[in-house]
Amino acid sequence: EAQVTQNPRYLITVTGKKLTVTCSQNMNHEYMSWYRQDPGLGLRQIYYSMNVEVTDKGDVPEGYKVSRKEKRNFPLILESPSPNQTSLYFCASSLLAGGRSTEQFFGPGTRLTVL
Amino acid sequence: AQSVSQHNHHVILSEAASLELGCNYSYGGTVNLFWYVQYPGQHLQLLLKYFSGDPLVKGIKGFEAEFIKSKFSFNLRKPSVQWSDTAEYFCAVNPYSGNNRKLIWGLGTSLAVNP
């Protein structure tokens, strides 16, 4: 089944404790992206990647890191989480056409709480 | 700056009522257009998309959208809503603008359908 998977689905942590949220897709998509969703603010892009070893900042990259060592995986790293990073996080992937993302497929989401 | 505006933040309808959700974007060039739906507690799924061709696009579950280039609009419609259409709806635009690789998202419209 074609899908985007994220782990963990739920995470409660404390300020400053490094964490990684994994994202994997099995559709051979070039494009991958991380979003956070907060009430009243919609979806905001954190980072995106056009292909292996190619990543770029989205709208709200501060406090996050990503890597794209393999085509299928795009982990999101919070080196020192803070309470304002409490949010619902989505990973997405898509094919590229003409250098642009086409239909994006979303993972199930990771609900992160930072105390 | 490029932006996407969804005029209705919250919509409440009774079953069998007709639905129209507005989406306007601020970019004068070529765009790809999307509507996504997020059912309660779930991830985003594509409802429909427009890349080129017939400006009236049909999607899943009886939804359709019309691209009106002169109005920079891509409104979502459904002639008769059901209780199961209760969800959050997001409009997204991918402008063909230089190195722009990002989808620009509206803030979403929350639809509640009363049985």
Side-chain angles (χ1 to χ4, degrees):
Chain A
E1 180 189 354
Q3 60 183 349
V4 179
T5 56
Q6 293 178 229
N7 282 292
R9 295 288 312 280
Y10 303 90
L11 179 59
I12 301 174
T13 188
V14 294
T15 299
K17 187 176 180 182
K18 181 179 178 180
L19 66 92
T20 299
V21 184
T22 64
C23 172
S24 184
Q25 50 92 7
N26 62 0
M27 295 169 279
N28 202 33
H29 286 168
E30 300 95 343
Y31 183 94
M32 296 186 76
S33 178
W34 276 104
Y35 297 92
R36 60 178 290 175
Q37 185 179 25
D38 303 287
L41 297 177
L43 280 171
R44 293 182 293 169
Q45 189 175 47
I46 303 170
Y47 271 94
Y48 65 97
S49 169
M50 301 292 284
N51 214 325
V52 176
E53 303 291 3
V54 180
T55 63
D56 209 346
K57 295 177 181 178
D59 299 313
V60 288
E62 294 78 20
Y64 305 94
K65 284 175 56 177
V66 292
S67 68
R68 188 92 181 272
K69 293 183 171 57
E70 305 164 283
K71 198 171 186 179
R72 65 181 6 237
N73 296 323
F74 191 46
L76 179 70
I77 303 154
L78 284 72
E79 295 269 4
S80 182
S82 62
N84 64 12
Q85 292 178 298
T86 292
S87 186
L88 179 58
Y89 291 86
F90 288 102
C91 181
S93 73
S94 78
L95 292 170
L96 290 176
R100 282 169 176 78
S101 171
T102 57
E103 171 190 351
Q104 293 194 9
F105 292 81
F106 283 80
T110 296
R111 187 165 292 281
L112 172 65
T113 302
V114 183
L115 302 174
Chain B
Q2 295 154 351
S3 64
V4 175
S5 174
Q6 293 183 238
H7 317 295
N8 317 98
H9 297 294
H10 300 281
V11 174
I12 302 174
L13 295 173
S14 298
E15 274 193 320
S18 65
L19 170 71
E20 180 159 3
L21 301 182
C23 173
N24 285 87
Y25 61 92
S26 61
Y27 178 68
T30 303
V31 292
N32 290 342
L33 299 156
F34 305 85
W35 274 99
Y36 284 84
V37 62
Q38 185 179 28
Y39 297 106
Q42 296 190 25
H43 61 283
L44 280 82
Q45 305 169 45
L46 183 72
L47 265 181
L48 46 78
K49 62 187 177 187
Y50 173 82
F51 286 3
S52 64
D54 188 344
L56 185 60
V57 181
K58 295 200 183 298
I60 60 172
K61 305 187 180 187
F63 286 91
E64 65 179 30
E66 185 174 14
F67 170 49
I68 303 179
K69 189 173 182 179
S70 61
K71 295 185 178 180
F72 304 96
S73 71
F74 190 54
N75 292 354
L76 182 71
R77 300 195 291 247
K78 185 170 184 179
S80 176
V81 295
Q82 301 172 304
W83 177 78
S84 58
D85 293 324
T86 294
E88 188 129 18
Y89 293 81
F90 293 92
C91 180
V93 175
N94 191 348
Y96 278 60
S97 170
N99 290 324
N100 188 352
R101 299 287 185 260
K102 299 188 301 184
L103 276 183
I104 302 170
W105 294 84
L107 291 183
T109 296
S110 175
L111 172 65
V113 180
N114 295 322

